[in-house]
Amino acid sequence: MKKIFFISLIILGVNTCFASHELSQQATAFYSDNNFQKTLELLLQINEHERSAQDWLLLGNLLDEKGERQNAEFMYQKAIFADKKYYKAYYNLANHYLADEKYSFAIENYKLAIKYNKKNPYVYYNLACAYIKQAELKKAKSELIKAVTLNNNIPEIHYNLAYVYKNLGKDKIAKDYLDNYNKLTNQF
């Protein structure tokens, strides 16, 4: 009798986990389609202990969009707790801190995002923005160079490089990056 009960629990657990995974996939699809209400409904059907880092991240994004900043921050932290190597959670938490002008926290989380994904130019770009806000222009330049190396077609990177070089007294290099920005945005 104990074996049957134990096997039933295992099967029930597998079915619940599978159902949670299905709900998570559906929620992600609805989120991609900007159907935030349906996304929220599906995510709330998943038991907390079965939510993935992605689920927590989406909840954070939804709450942030609603202006529930503290709750969003909590959800991003839950995403990190669910998966310590999930760079998107660090990235979104850093963006959250950057918007709240908590630059040291933003920088710390951007660095963690980079630790787990070195190939996203936007992480370097936003890290540079945090350094610019702290008037650490040499550090900002370094991060912007990494970003432009990963993707040379993002106009904002060129614009910020022009800004940084201008403020570092390197007018010719600043002009080159401003010209690149203008070419990318078709502004002449």
Side-chain angles (χ1 to χ4, degrees):
M1 184 68 172
K2 285 183 181 181
K3 281 185 178 181
I4 293 172
F5 179 72
F6 183 70
I7 291 172
S8 295
L9 281 177
I10 290 173
I11 292 171
L12 181 61
V14 168
N15 285 339
T16 303
C17 190
F18 180 74
S20 296
H21 181 71
E22 287 292 314
L23 288 170
S24 181
Q25 286 183 323
Q26 290 174 5
T28 301
F30 279 110
Y31 186 82
S32 296
D33 289 337
N34 295 320
N35 188 338
F36 301 137
Q37 183 59 40
K38 187 65 176 174
T39 302
L40 183 59
E41 290 171 14
L42 291 168
L43 290 173
L44 292 177
Q45 291 178 39
I46 303 171
N47 291 329
E48 280 192 36
H49 65 279
E50 293 175 1
R51 287 185 187 144
S52 68
Q54 168 95 3
D55 297 336
W56 290 112
L57 179 86
L58 293 180
L59 284 168
N61 291 349
L62 293 170
L63 290 167
D64 206 19
E65 190 68 31
K66 287 182 166 184
E68 296 182 32
R69 309 272 306 144
Q70 285 183 313
N71 291 331
E73 181 180 339
F74 179 74
M75 296 301 167
Y76 296 141
Q77 290 169 344
K78 293 282 277 187
I80 292 167
F81 183 75
D83 182 353
K84 298 268 189 247
K85 295 182 179 181
Y86 188 55
Y87 91 94
K88 290 179 183 180
Y90 294 107
Y91 178 69
N92 285 24
L93 185 57
N95 288 340
H96 180 85
Y97 288 137
L98 183 61
D100 286 348
E101 299 179 1
K102 297 178 180 176
Y103 305 124
S104 296
F105 290 124
I107 289 167
E108 176 184 332
N109 281 280
Y110 286 130
K111 286 180 178 181
L112 287 166
I114 290 167
K115 177 179 177 181
Y116 299 115
N117 183 344
K118 293 176 177 18
K119 299 192 184 271
N120 185 328
Y122 292 100
V123 181
Y124 295 99
Y125 171 77
N126 286 355
L127 175 56
C129 290
Y131 281 134
I132 289 169
K133 293 288 189 179
Q134 289 192 318
E136 295 186 53
L137 297 181
K138 289 182 180 178
K139 289 181 181 180
K141 179 186 79 169
S142 175
E143 300 307 324
L144 289 167
I145 295 295
K146 292 173 190 172
V148 81
T149 300
L150 289 170
N151 188 334
N152 195 32
N153 296 314
I154 302 171
E156 296 79 12
I157 297 172
H158 292 272
Y159 186 84
N160 278 359
L161 275 164
Y163 171 84
V164 167
Y165 276 113
K166 177 78 172 161
N167 284 288
L168 290 173
K170 309 230 179 203
D171 292 343
K172 181 173 178 349
I173 299 172
K175 184 184 177 323
D176 290 343
Y177 278 108
L178 189 57
D179 289 345
N180 290 343
Y181 169 79
N182 289 329
K183 286 176 190 170
L184 290 169
T185 59
N186 296 319
Q187 297 177 13
F188 290 99

